[in-house]
Amino acid sequence: MSGFDGDQIFYSDQNLASSFNQASILDQKKYTHEEVAKKFKQFIRDWTSKNSYIYRDQLISNYHDGRYYLKVDLDDINNYDIKLGSLISEKPLEYHQDLERATKESLLSLMLNNTEVPDFQVQIVSDQNPKPLRELKSDVLGHLITVRGII
């Protein structure tokens, strides 16, 4: 069995670990505010689950019911465009107005008549593990996090 029992280790670094790294995604060219709004409008219009347009249908239904908000799952955004999801979770205050503007524009494009559309609130929900309040440090300042309880 000579040749098979050597003490050498061979490996191939294919940069797979770094290609899915959140930091490397954010280091790439960032979306402008217009690109964020455009991507989010496409997300609302195109995202499907079980042959149903979840967010498009929710937006129209909430409008007709007089509830002017849209609940969006962060995991769905990440699955649609991981760079967009990373920007929203890392800097939610910077991009939240763009999301709300894109939601209003999406509803205007979906409505057949040109009626006045009110502003919509975008509520981002997530199933990520909640952080205890005592563990919140300055490194999560300005980031989108999940906490348990009433805040």
Side-chain angles (χ1 to χ4, degrees):
M1 295 189 72
S2 67
F4 292 107
D5 296 337
D7 58 352
Q8 297 177 343
I9 298 175
F10 298 98
Y11 70 95
S12 172
D13 184 13
Q14 299 174 354
N15 290 328
L16 293 177
S18 65
S19 66
F20 294 108
N21 187 355
Q22 298 283 7
S24 69
I25 292 168
L26 291 176
D27 290 340
Q28 298 171 0
K29 179 186 172 285
K30 293 183 180 181
Y31 290 150
T32 63
H33 289 281
E34 291 300 318
E35 289 172 329
V36 167
K38 181 181 174 185
K39 290 281 186 182
F40 193 69
K41 280 195 296 191
Q42 290 173 349
F43 168 75
I44 291 172
R45 186 185 52 218
D46 297 339
W47 185 257
T48 60
S49 177
K50 300 177 185 172
N51 296 327
S52 174
Y53 292 98
I54 299 171
Y55 299 111
R56 184 188 333 184
D57 296 342
Q58 181 190 146
L59 184 62
I60 293 171
S61 173
N62 285 357
Y63 171 72
H64 289 300
D65 293 344
R67 298 176 295 179
Y68 303 120
Y69 65 88
L70 179 68
K71 279 190 179 181
V72 180
D73 192 349
L74 186 61
D75 293 334
D76 290 343
I77 296 173
N78 281 326
N79 289 332
Y80 182 77
D81 186 346
I82 192 165
K83 193 162 143 183
L84 178 64
S86 296
L87 286 174
I88 291 170
S89 64
E90 292 293 320
K91 297 180 181 181
L93 291 177
E94 186 175 334
Y95 296 105
H96 199 264
Q97 288 181 350
D98 300 326
L99 302 181
E100 291 181 345
R101 180 172 41 90
T103 303
K104 185 175 181 176
E105 291 173 4
S106 295
L107 183 61
L108 279 171
S109 68
L110 293 172
M111 301 301 289
L112 297 176
N113 53 3
N114 291 331
T115 60
E116 184 67 27
V117 175
D119 292 334
F120 266 73
Q121 178 186 24
V122 176
Q123 299 175 358
I124 300 174
V125 296
S126 177
D127 289 335
Q128 61 180 293
N129 293 332
K131 292 187 176 232
L133 288 176
R134 294 189 184 269
E135 290 183 12
L136 296 180
K137 304 285 187 238
S138 63
D139 61 334
V140 296
L141 184 67
H143 293 197
L144 191 63
I145 60 167
T146 302
V147 293
R148 188 181 321 271
I150 299 172
I151 305 298

